[in-house]
Amino acid sequence: MPITPFAPPEPPSETTTIGFIYPDHAAEDDYPLAEQLLGGDMAGIKLPVEHIYGTDLHAVPELLDLGSESRLADGAALLAKHEPDAVVWACTSGSFVYGWEGARDQADRLAAVAGVPASSTSFAFVNAAQALGVRRVAVAASYPDDVARLFVEFLGAGGIEVVSMGSADIDTAAEVGELAPEAVVELAVSRDHPAADALLVPDTAMRTLGEINTLETRLRKPVLTANQVTVWEGLRLTGKAPLVRTLGALFGLRSS
């Protein structure tokens, strides 16, 4: 009987492209890692990143400037060559600093200029928590306390109760991006709370994708991190829900 040669699976005929506008440089390598973990070309998923620039200081005036309409329009223009199916502003502090209504207006204006559905990391956290059915969370923030408290207020506006919040008081995104994996794990674990249904780690400048399973194993609860939920939000906008074991409980959900 002749042996049939092995034929590798064919990539999907259609590709879903989600574009990310990322501020400056810190942990943007989480996005190609996510693309790889999600299956990349074989899964028909592309996650291009384009950068906009401003100061990376975690302070309210600088964050308001970073997330301004003109800067995000510049980011959308850079992403246009990728022909994205959705666009996400990959910056938590540069969205929640506007408050709930301001962040909604920011996302709506981004969608208008990009010509595709758009969101931000701040809304990604609320949507991800709701998808997991969690209502009480702990927050492990890298920001200074005054900025971290604005995130707590944003979550509250989205119906998420914060039972505890710890801030590491790190001034710049560049400093956050330099944290070693063990420092990321320690920062997160040390700020969990037993009453929390999940732990939220809100800074996209922090490399977290490689640590999510470690954190969930240690804490025995879902862990939502900024770059993780940002990728998930883009997939949600396009109707994609790939199941993978390497990106935490959130990526074990199947959309209804």
Side-chain angles (χ1 to χ4, degrees):
M1 182 176 180
I3 298 175
T4 303
F6 171 75
E10 292 289 330
S13 57
E14 294 186 1
T15 297
T16 298
T17 301
I18 302 158
F20 300 94
I21 302 173
Y22 191 93
D24 295 284
H25 296 275
E28 64 267 30
D29 46 352
D30 264 356
Y31 292 86
L33 174 59
E35 183 177 303
Q36 176 187 345
L37 295 174
L38 290 167
D41 288 342
M42 295 309 300
I45 295 173
K46 292 187 180 298
L47 308 178
V49 176
E50 295 290 349
H51 297 266
I52 60 172
Y53 297 94
T55 178
D56 71 344
L57 188 65
H58 288 145
V60 171
E62 285 78 7
L63 292 168
L64 289 170
D65 175 70
L66 188 63
S68 66
E69 183 178 359
S70 62
R71 289 193 188 275
L72 295 190
D74 289 343
L78 291 170
L79 283 170
K81 61 180 176 287
H82 302 287
E83 300 182 347
D85 299 293
V87 170
V88 186
W89 169 218
C91 184
T92 326
S93 55
S95 46
F96 70 66
V97 73
Y98 284 86
W100 186 270
E101 293 302 325
R104 172 55 57 205
D105 182 64
Q106 179 190 60
D108 288 346
R109 289 175 183 271
L110 177 56
V113 73
V116 294
S119 188
S120 67
T121 306
S122 292
F123 286 117
F125 271 109
V126 173
N127 292 333
Q130 290 175 346
L132 285 168
V134 300
R135 289 292 180 268
R136 293 162 58 85
V137 304
V139 172
S142 55
Y143 317 121
D145 187 75
D146 63 326
V147 174
R149 292 192 180 280
L150 294 177
F151 183 54
V152 172
E153 292 177 12
F154 188 92
L155 293 172
I160 309 298
E161 178 186 355
V162 178
V163 297
S164 70
M165 187 275 287
S167 55
D169 201 32
I170 300 176
D171 286 328
T172 68
E175 293 173 89
V176 175
E178 292 173 354
L179 292 173
E182 57 270 21
V184 169
V185 170
E186 178 55 31
L187 186 155
V189 169
S190 65
R191 289 162 173 81
D192 184 36
H193 191 282
D197 301 320
L199 175 69
L200 275 55
V201 186
D203 197 343
T204 59
M206 189 183 298
R207 290 179 180 85
T208 56
L209 293 197
E211 318 310 323
I212 292 170
N213 284 8
T214 297
L215 288 168
E216 290 193 343
T217 298
R218 287 185 59 173
L219 297 177
R220 299 182 182 275
K221 66 181 64 174
V223 174
L224 300 177
T225 76
N227 291 325
Q228 172 211 35
V229 300
T230 301
V231 171
W232 177 87
E233 180 77 346
L235 292 166
R236 185 191 69 81
L237 290 174
T238 61
K240 286 264 189 175
L243 302 179
V244 293
R245 296 181 178 181
T246 48
L247 288 169
L250 180 62
F251 278 81
L253 297 172
R254 175 68 77 185
S255 63
S256 57

